Amino acid sequence: MPPIYARIIATGSALPERVVTNADLEKIVDTTDEWIHSRTGIRQRHIAADGETTGDLALQAAKNALEAAGVKASELDLIVLGTTTPDLIFPSTACLVQHRLGANGCAAFDVNAACSGFVYALGIADKFIRSGQSKKVLVIGAETLTRMVDWTERESCVLFGDGAGAVVLEACDEPGIYTTCLHADGGHKDLLYNPVGVSVGFTDEPNHGVRIRMSGREVFKVAVKTLDSLVEETLQAAGMQESDIDWLIPHQANLRIIEATAKRLKMSMDRVIVTVDKHANTSSGSVPLALDYAVRSGKVQRGQNLLLEAFGGGFTWASALLRY
Ligand code: COA
């Protein structure tokens, strides 16, 4: 039997309508556009409207991707959705989206790997396709992270935004995805987490304590170091070198972290997709949003090699090296 590969046949994305600029944030916390932009690269973020959910954004991104792929929802045999801000505790957001798409019957589940959620979901979908279990798979990364931002804490509230991205994968006899690398280290939990879950800290009080806790400077240091070894590992696993990569499509948390990874890969910044200025950190939404922007703007072309990477709470970190 010849090997089976998973190939991205189309991408899609969705952003809430409301844009909040750094100047808007200057009115609610003690900050400046200059501080935010020079430390993070962020100029603005999109924020979900009241009542607009992760599932709504995921659905819109999924419809965009399916339309671009020319694939009907009924043809899907798997939906994997990366999120850390699901609509409900259960059913999963993947199930809610599946029903709204009319893809009933196929397997559907969420993956919570914080900001690495989409790349984890892509890695899992790749294994389903390679094993012959699935032929057409929808992979989504979607978040409404601003729902758990503390708008009085200037260290973190300036960093996040809402959004979703999606890809349709198809089984193919040529790559496709060459390799994915998924990792986690729960030992760093206290550097980036939300203290409320179902069996810890749960109360009937609306939004009680549901707030991101982050030690920004420490997260920054670990992220740079970890992504450095991740790209090394990924190149080795695919049997490639830096010069084989056409585009780096990184998690969009901080421009300085992105620049450090590009430097490690000896890539000039004009081969790096940057959307952090417009979207801020949309967690699981960030990599597929950047990918969809890269495809639709005509930057990324068929046949090019893309390196996707992400880092997030857990800590989790993950990469995918693929031919688009
Ligand atoms: N506006 C103005 N000043 C701010 C501020 C804000 N929004 N947030 C913090 N400051 C102040 C601090 O209070 C501190 O003041 P001090 O020197 O008087 O104590 C000063 O700016 C420097 O703070 P520091 O935390 O050292 O800044 P930094 O250069 O490390 O940048 C982050 C802070 C959060 C931007 C940076 O650490 C970062 O991006 N970390 C990674 C976060 C991340 O990506 N998380 C998600 C991972 S998926």
Side-chain angles (χ1 to χ4, degrees):
M1 280 277 284
I4 308 171
Y5 294 98
R7 188 173 151 261
I8 294 180
I9 53 171
T11 64
S13 64
L15 288 160
E17 231 174 81
R18 185 174 161 221
V19 172
V20 173
T21 64
N22 292 347
D24 295 327
L25 291 183
E26 286 177 4
K27 294 175 199 142
I28 61 167
V29 283
D30 181 14
T31 193
T32 59
D33 173 53
E34 199 283 327
W35 191 95
I36 301 170
H37 187 254
S38 64
R39 304 281 171 139
T40 69
I42 298 167
R43 289 279 189 208
Q44 62 169 50
R45 70 285 296 139
H46 291 249
I47 295 195
D50 290 348
E52 188 174 33
T53 69
T54 294
D56 294 335
L57 296 170
L59 179 72
Q60 205 184 315
K63 282 182 171 171
N64 281 174
L66 287 167
E67 193 187 312
V71 168
K72 292 194 200 72
S74 57
E75 294 174 62
L76 295 171
D77 36 36
L78 174 66
I79 299 173
V80 193
L81 188 151
T83 191
T84 190
T85 49
D87 286 18
L88 304 171
I89 291 164
F90 72 90
S92 69
T93 305
C95 285
L96 303 178
V97 170
Q98 181 214 44
H99 177 64
R100 292 170 75 185
L101 283 173
N104 297 345
C106 73
F109 58 90
D110 287 358
V111 174
N112 179 352
C115 297
S116 310
F118 172 79
V119 186
Y120 257 64
L122 193 66
I124 293 163
D126 178 48
K127 306 296 177 291
F128 270 79
I129 288 182
R130 278 176 188 260
S131 72
Q133 178 111 25
S134 305
K135 293 208 159 38
K136 285 196 171 64
V137 181
L138 177 63
V139 183
I140 307 170
E143 304 277 7
T144 45
L145 213 73
T146 65
R147 292 265 157 74
M148 56 181 181
V149 158
D150 182 343
W151 292 107
T152 65
E153 199 183 273
R154 67 177 183 172
E155 290 80 4
S156 57
C157 76
V158 300
L159 302 177
F160 299 102
D162 301 327
V167 300
V168 180
L169 291 178
E170 190 174 56
C172 190
D173 51 14
E174 282 177 18
I177 296 177
Y178 295 109
T179 193
T180 62
C181 302
L182 314 183
H183 292 286
D185 179 355
H188 294 295
K189 181 217 110 195
D190 290 341
L191 296 184
L192 181 57
Y193 71 112
N194 185 319
V196 175
V198 180
S199 61
V200 177
F202 193 79
T203 77
D204 285 341
E205 232 176 281
N207 295 331
H208 174 81
V210 187
R211 296 284 178 260
I212 296 170
R213 308 276 161 87
M214 188 184 70
S215 308
R217 198 179 295 185
E218 285 71 26
V219 173
F220 188 98
K221 280 191 225 149
V222 183
V224 170
K225 207 164 143 232
T226 307
L227 290 170
D228 218 57
S229 48
L230 179 66
V231 296
E232 175 93 42
E233 176 196 353
T234 313
L235 288 171
Q236 260 183 28
M240 288 191 184
Q241 44 199 358
E242 288 89 346
S243 55
D244 294 320
I245 308 299
D246 294 297
W247 290 99
L248 172 65
I249 307 192
H251 175 44
Q252 308 285 322
N254 183 309
L255 186 60
R256 290 185 293 148
I257 299 178
I258 295 172
E259 285 169 345
T261 309
K263 197 168 162 203
R264 158 66 192 83
L265 282 165
K266 305 186 188 88
M267 289 178 86
S268 71
M269 285 303 286
D270 57 6
R271 308 302 280 168
V272 180
I273 301 299
V274 175
T275 52
V276 68
D277 54 332
K278 294 187 255 334
H279 302 162
N281 181 350
T282 57
S283 188
S284 293
S286 123
V287 170
L289 267 164
L291 175 61
D292 188 49
Y293 159 74
V295 167
R296 287 178 194 252
S297 63
K299 285 179 185 264
V300 162
Q301 299 287 321
R302 282 282 168 207
Q304 291 186 323
N305 290 333
L306 316 183
L307 176 55
L308 280 47
E309 50 86 342
F311 178 89
F315 287 136
T316 56
W317 58 102
S319 65
L321 208 167
L322 58 96
R323 187 193 299 162
Y324 178 67

